[in-house]
Amino acid sequence: MNETDASNHSQEEDDDKKSDKCMKTISRHFFSDESEKSSFSISVIENMKEDYGLFVWPCSIILAEYVWQQRFRFSRVSVVELGAGTSLPGLVAAKVGSDVTLTDDSDRTEVSENMKRVCELNKLNCKVMGLTWGVWDASVFDLHPKIILGADVFYDTSAFDDLFATLTFLLQNSPGSVFITTYHNRSGHHLIEFLMIKWGLKCVKLLDGFSILPPDKASGLSGNIQLAEIVLSGEVAEETSSSMVR
């Protein structure tokens, strides 16, 4: 490489860094009740660069709101978020008192680094680890979550079987646990139902995602989004009558 080539290469790297920096933004998400005594906000670092996928998607906003509304249920329990990405639901769980582990694909190091930065930004002590669905690393066997969260994890049908394999293992590894997920009601809905039967799972709660959102949050979102609670067949997720707080 001659001096001209080296100079051009260096300029391209500088341009990439500047472009990457311009694509990053911090969004704030507010959670409050009528008394506002326990109100708080979560700041999230988003990267608008398409190949990173570090957006706060509507499914994450709805699941985070559900965690907030059910915050007494999340107090002092172990929570794992699958495919966490920007991690908004997991961060809210940590804020209301959960012991949270945020996970995403082990190969997506930029996502893991972003999760660590977001935890520091919000002064939250969450564990961050790589977890590739269908891959049995030693660290997976140490997870015993009471609640598993997953926002918009049903988007790639080719990954569904690996996701259900990992999900079923985690549910079996912690008897009485529950998977709470929000997802767009896409064409893969029937495949989800088939795989639930295949892996011995059942849905114990199904809601229209927008039905739980305050009007100010619902007005800025669109889509056909559902919220489901899924457990092992033969088990019932624990939920006290006081768990729903509005």
Side-chain angles (χ1 to χ4, degrees):
M1 182 182 292
N2 58 38
E3 290 184 6
T4 301
D5 290 338
S7 177
N8 290 338
H9 182 69
S10 177
Q11 182 63 45
E12 288 175 1
E13 286 185 339
D14 288 343
D15 290 343
D16 286 343
K17 288 178 181 178
K18 289 178 182 177
S19 174
D20 209 28
K21 188 174 181 180
C22 291
M23 300 296 273
K24 289 183 180 179
T25 184
I26 295 179
S27 58
R28 292 187 70 190
H29 304 266
F30 296 87
F31 301 87
S32 62
D33 56 18
E34 294 178 359
S35 68
E36 296 191 357
K37 290 181 179 178
S38 54
S39 302
F40 60 83
S41 67
I42 296 289
S43 297
V44 174
I45 303 170
E46 298 185 71
N47 193 321
M48 310 309 287
K49 200 171 181 180
E50 186 177 352
D51 58 338
Y52 283 178
L54 287 173
F55 305 93
V56 178
W57 297 102
C59 283
S60 292
I61 293 173
I62 292 173
L63 185 54
E65 181 66 27
Y66 189 69
V67 173
W68 162 248
Q69 292 182 12
Q70 300 240 335
R71 54 193 177 277
F72 293 146
R73 180 182 180 188
F74 281 80
S75 179
R76 296 186 296 278
V77 299
S78 176
V79 171
V80 168
E81 184 174 2
L82 298 177
T86 51
S87 312
L88 182 60
L91 294 171
V92 174
K95 195 74 175 180
V96 300
S98 298
D99 178 15
V100 176
T101 300
L102 304 171
T103 73
D104 210 299
D105 194 316
S106 299
D107 294 330
R108 301 182 68 193
T109 55
E110 76 281 359
V111 176
S112 296
E113 290 304 313
N114 193 73
M115 289 192 292
K116 292 175 183 177
R117 287 193 292 268
V118 170
C119 290
E120 293 173 0
L121 180 63
N122 291 280
K123 297 180 172 58
L124 293 171
N125 186 25
C126 301
K127 302 180 188 71
V128 174
M129 63 174 279
L131 194 164
T132 302
W133 302 335
V135 176
W136 310 108
D137 294 329
S139 56
V140 177
F141 293 87
D142 294 327
L143 296 175
H144 300 275
K146 194 66 175 176
I147 300 175
I148 305 161
L149 299 174
D152 208 11
V153 292
F154 296 114
Y155 61 88
D156 179 5
T157 55
S158 66
F160 280 10
D161 221 26
D162 286 336
L163 169 58
F164 272 98
T166 299
L167 172 60
T168 303
F169 170 79
L170 292 174
L171 290 171
Q172 291 174 341
N173 212 30
S174 186
S177 56
V178 60
F179 175 50
I180 306 176
T181 182
T182 46
Y183 61 94
H184 285 273
N185 196 2
R186 302 184 179 100
S187 57
H189 181 69
H190 294 298
L191 178 57
I192 295 172
E193 293 177 343
F194 167 78
L195 289 172
M196 283 178 58
I197 295 171
K198 173 185 174 180
W199 289 97
L201 306 177
K202 68 177 180 180
C203 180
V204 293
K205 181 182 286 187
L206 186 64
L207 301 173
D208 173 5
F210 285 89
S211 69
I212 66 170
L213 283 180
D216 61 317
K217 291 186 179 182
S219 63
L221 303 178
S222 61
N224 180 8
I225 298 174
Q226 292 184 305
L227 183 145
E229 295 199 16
I230 296 170
V231 300
L232 294 171
S233 293
E235 287 192 359
V236 178
E238 296 179 7
E239 180 178 354
T240 65
S241 59
S242 62
S243 62
M244 176 64 82
V245 180
R246 295 187 182 276

